[in-house]
Amino acid sequence: MFMEETPLEVSLPLSVKPLASPFPSDCPGLLSDAMTDVPVDSAAAARTSAPEGLTLAEEEELRSELAKVEEEIGTLRQVLAAKERHCGELKRKLGLTPLDGLKQNLSKSWHDVQVSSAYVKTSEKLGEWNDKVTQSDFYKKTQETLSQAGQKTSAALSNVGSVISRKLGDMRNSATFKSFEDRVGTIKSRVVGSRENSTEGLHSPSGAGDKPPQDNAPF
């Protein structure tokens, strides 16, 4: 006897819960604020809105010209770098040192300063001031005073020299100086004469030939 198989029915409680929102329910505007913080391409935004007073066609033309200018600037920088390298190689072959380059730069800078309008104007101003100062009465009086003082100083020094020479001449012609000079001459002659006598005494014989020889024989 076969039993009839009846399928088993299992009823499970199925409940689907909605996903919880990351933002609290009491902040309904927080989600919209967070969406506004998403970065937006500024270049794309700038393309969409043209500046005031410019049409889209004019803006595109200006942007195209700006790109060309930037490209030309990059090309010129590359050309300048190549020229600088070539210049360095030529200097190295010629034996020019960095010091020579510094001297040339300083000389060129000084020449540029001299030919500059500011330097020329300053030189002209200084020349005008010099002319005004030299032509002023105060400068002329000061120059005359200094010239007179120099002349007086020269005359005073000349007079002092003349007085000293005259005093020395008078002293040499005085009786005191002559007496002193005579005494010095006498002392000098005596010293010279005594030296000559002592020299002759050393070279002459002792006078033993004038005296008779002594007889030493016993009586």
Side-chain angles (χ1 to χ4, degrees):
M1 184 175 190
F2 298 98
M3 296 180 63
E4 185 178 359
E5 296 181 358
T6 56
L8 296 176
E9 295 180 0
V10 179
S11 60
L12 298 175
L14 300 175
S15 61
V16 179
K17 294 182 179 181
L19 296 175
S21 175
F23 305 101
S25 59
D26 56 350
C27 300
L30 189 58
L31 181 60
S32 61
D33 293 339
M35 293 297 291
T36 58
D37 292 338
V38 178
V40 181
D41 189 0
S42 59
R47 294 192 193 95
T48 55
S49 61
E52 295 182 1
L54 292 177
T55 61
L56 292 175
E58 291 175 348
E59 182 185 4
E60 290 296 331
E61 183 180 357
L62 292 176
R63 290 185 182 279
S64 176
E65 185 177 357
L66 176 61
K68 290 180 181 179
V69 171
E70 290 178 348
E71 184 178 359
E72 290 176 357
I73 290 173
T75 304
L76 290 175
R77 285 177 178 173
Q78 294 177 0
V79 172
L80 179 60
K83 292 290 184 182
E84 288 179 349
R85 288 194 297 269
H86 185 58
C87 180
E89 292 176 359
L90 293 177
K91 288 182 178 180
R92 181 177 56 81
K93 291 179 180 179
L94 290 173
L96 297 177
T97 61
L99 182 60
D100 297 331
L102 180 61
K103 290 180 179 178
Q104 290 180 355
N105 293 334
L106 291 175
S107 177
K108 186 177 181 301
S109 301
W110 177 241
H111 180 266
D112 294 340
V113 169
Q114 287 181 330
V115 298
S116 63
S117 59
Y119 183 85
V120 173
K121 290 180 180 179
T122 304
S123 300
E124 292 177 354
K125 279 290 182 184
L126 291 175
E128 293 176 0
W129 290 347
N130 186 28
D131 294 338
K132 290 180 180 179
V133 170
T134 54
Q135 293 176 2
S136 63
D137 296 335
F138 177 75
Y139 180 83
K140 291 180 180 179
K141 290 180 179 179
T142 305
Q143 191 175 14
E144 290 176 358
T145 303
L146 293 175
S147 178
Q148 292 175 1
Q151 292 176 0
K152 290 180 179 179
T153 304
S154 300
L157 292 175
S158 179
N159 292 332
V160 169
S162 300
V163 170
I164 292 174
S165 299
R166 191 183 311 115
K167 289 292 183 182
L168 290 175
D170 296 341
M171 186 183 298
R172 288 178 65 88
N173 295 326
S174 64
T176 305
F177 187 83
K178 287 183 177 181
S179 176
F180 177 74
E181 191 175 12
D182 293 339
R183 290 180 181 178
V184 171
T186 304
I187 294 171
K188 181 179 179 182
S189 61
R190 288 180 180 178
V191 171
V192 172
S194 62
R195 286 182 180 177
E196 290 178 353
N197 293 332
S198 62
T199 305
E200 291 177 357
L202 290 175
H203 290 286
S204 62
S206 59
D210 298 335
K211 296 181 180 180
Q214 296 180 355
D215 191 5
N216 295 328
F219 291 104

